[in-house]
Amino acid sequence: MKVEREPPGQVVQRVLARRDAFTAARDLSVNILMDRPATADEGSYRRERSLFIQYVNPEILACYGKDVTRGDVGQILTQALRATRLAVLLTDAYLIFPSSYMFELPWFDVFLAGIEPLIHEGLIRHTSRTPELTAYQDTKVREYRRDERNPYSTSHRVHIEPDLAWYPHFGKPTSAGIADQWSAALAPEGGLSGVVHAVARAWHRPYGRVARIMAKSPERLEGQAFVKRFVERTLPGPVPDDADSLLGLFLSAAYLRSYVRDLDTAILTDLPIGRLSCELDDSMEDMKGRVLSSRRLDLALHWLRVDHFVHRGASWKELVLLRSSAEFGMITSLLYGSGSANAFRLAIIGASRSRHFGPAVTCGDALSNVAVVADQLARMPG
């Protein structure tokens, strides 16, 4: 049984398949929890929080030297599918991506085809302010006007899987959220201070003068998208090379922070292709519990002896089954929460003595390994 969220206070149940009572109860609990107000645990890792797919975003990848339209496509697609296997394991909710990906990434339909079983299960959602892609496209055409590579050209037609669900993007427009962060970051110690100093040197103007010029950029965009190439056109001179990458990094971080806040999501970072966090990390007050390292999970999967199964053998259905076990949820909550890393290590050492703990080949093997380790953790004092 799967619960679809409707207007506040209303819950409409739609039966998708016959599942056992445990799974049905878990789904109900997860979805109702998502509608509850924030609690004191807001700054911690929560499995009922969705994950935002930022690891294929073209602007973010560009900050790490990757081009989504040319020679890097194969590597990006391979890494994206691999990252999605980990992302699925870190949430009991959805994976969410902005509707823009369906227009801005020429190969995105290939990615969606690769995760089609997740789409059919309702575990992948696209988000925007309107569920109507035609209306969304019309809005974005205006935002990308005068762009020689406008991905939202009215000649562009997008095929969408009928089972791909829409997730509403509430709150202020992303561009307004970035503009707020932009204004605050122009202070001498703000996030854009490095850019302002570099531009001031290149233009031979004082810091204050450059900051005032840059402060007018949101207004000068006149509704265009708040991306680097458009922002640079609002300035009276070129941005020097040493500031160009800093500018892109700031804008991508502001974009990412806006989505994470508005959608109450987490992100998967520290990937083989790059960190892809745009300098956001768990030490920031509003990012606590939201920046999840893929390396940490990969190491844990290696210790659990399920890494080869997760990355090479498991179907999407089996990964969902693995993440749905109470024992796996307990382990990830320990890994990304306030639990002791040493406790997990000790549990692995204890589990290694069990004849039921070995390299996982099947989903049953993986569930058995996880259960043995969870049992060791449960037996520990305190």
Side-chain angles (χ1 to χ4, degrees):
M1 185 176 294
K2 178 182 171 184
V3 177
E4 293 289 330
R5 292 196 300 161
E6 295 294 324
Q10 298 181 22
V11 178
V12 179
Q13 297 181 339
R14 181 164 62 98
V15 177
L16 295 180
R18 293 184 179 272
R19 299 180 181 174
D20 57 61
F22 171 79
T23 304
R26 174 184 56 80
D27 285 355
L28 183 62
S29 172
V30 165
N31 284 277
I32 289 178
L33 279 171
M34 289 176 66
D35 283 332
R36 290 178 182 168
T39 68
D41 293 329
E42 181 65 23
S44 61
Y45 166 67
R46 294 188 285 112
R47 287 192 58 84
E48 66 268 21
R49 179 180 282 147
S50 295
L51 257 76
F52 181 68
I53 298 178
Q54 96 292 356
Y55 44 80
V56 296
N57 182 280
E59 302 294 332
I60 292 174
L61 284 165
C63 292
Y64 293 83
K66 302 299 180 183
D67 190 329
V68 299
T69 63
R70 295 178 184 169
D72 298 320
V73 170
Q75 182 190 19
I76 292 169
L77 183 55
T78 298
Q79 291 291 319
L81 291 171
R82 185 182 189 279
T84 301
R85 287 180 165 266
L86 298 180
V88 165
L89 294 176
L90 288 175
T91 176
D92 287 325
Y94 319 116
L95 304 186
I96 301 176
F97 67 87
S99 305
S100 60
Y101 290 177
M102 292 186 282
F103 295 89
E104 296 185 19
L105 299 171
W107 44 266
F108 196 65
D109 57 338
V110 179
F111 173 72
L112 291 180
I115 60 173
E116 189 174 5
L118 297 178
I119 295 174
H120 291 328
E121 285 297 314
L123 300 178
I124 303 291
R125 307 206 164 190
H126 71 101
T127 186
S128 61
R129 296 188 173 278
T130 172
E132 299 296 330
L133 282 181
T134 300
Y136 173 77
Q137 183 178 10
D138 289 343
T139 298
K140 300 298 281 188
V141 164
R142 293 192 294 273
E143 289 184 11
Y144 281 76
R145 66 187 182 278
R146 298 195 298 272
D147 188 6
E148 61 183 17
R149 42 180 177 161
N150 190 335
Y152 298 95
S153 166
T154 52
S155 63
H156 190 107
R157 293 290 179 266
V158 172
H159 169 72
I160 183 170
E161 286 281 345
D163 290 336
L164 182 59
W166 172 73
Y167 192 92
H169 184 181
F170 297 124
K172 65 174 63 177
T174 305
S175 58
I178 297 174
D180 289 344
Q181 296 177 65
W182 176 272
S183 299
L186 289 171
E189 301 300 323
L192 281 169
S193 60
V195 176
V196 179
H197 279 298
V199 171
R201 287 193 299 269
W203 293 359
H204 304 291
R205 296 184 183 182
Y207 184 101
R209 173 60 176 158
V210 172
R212 287 192 294 274
I213 291 172
M214 292 180 64
K216 296 179 180 179
S217 288
E219 179 184 344
R220 288 174 174 162
L221 281 171
E222 297 179 334
Q224 281 192 297
F226 217 128
V227 296
K228 183 164 72 76
R229 63 184 181 274
F230 294 158
V231 169
E232 289 178 331
R233 294 174 192 171
T234 67
L235 303 176
V239 175
D241 291 342
D242 58 343
D244 187 69
S245 59
L246 292 176
L247 178 60
L249 198 63
F250 172 85
L251 290 171
S252 290
Y255 163 92
L256 190 51
R257 178 177 258 124
S258 292
Y259 267 100
V260 167
R261 286 174 176 172
D262 291 349
L263 302 178
D264 187 24
T265 59
I267 56 173
L268 182 68
T269 68
D270 206 14
L271 297 156
I273 201 171
R275 184 156 174 79
L276 306 188
S277 67
C278 303
E279 305 293 314
L280 300 180
D281 63 56
D282 207 54
S283 68
M284 299 172 177
E285 191 61 34
D286 60 345
M287 291 293 117
K288 290 186 182 300
R290 299 176 184 274
V291 183
L292 310 178
S293 168
S294 70
R295 293 183 187 276
R296 184 181 304 178
L297 180 56
D298 261 332
L299 180 59
L301 295 176
H302 174 70
W303 285 351
L304 287 164
R305 308 187 76 176
V306 301
D307 51 325
H308 288 286
F309 171 73
V310 165
H311 286 300
R312 299 177 187 175
S315 66
W316 293 112
K317 182 178 180 180
E318 288 172 327
L319 289 177
V320 173
L321 183 62
L322 178 60
R323 83 169 191 181
S324 299
S325 72
E327 294 90 347
F328 191 81
M330 170 188 177
I331 288 171
T332 54
S333 295
L334 176 71
L335 288 170
Y336 293 97
S338 57
S340 167
N342 281 334
F344 181 62
R345 294 186 182 97
L346 289 171
I348 293 290
I349 293 170
S352 65
R353 303 188 187 103
S354 170
R355 63 185 179 86
H356 300 293
F357 190 78
V361 176
T362 67
C363 189
D365 295 338
L367 288 168
S368 176
N369 283 6
V370 167
V372 170
V373 172
D375 183 63
Q376 290 288 325
L377 285 167
R379 292 171 184 269
M380 289 182 179

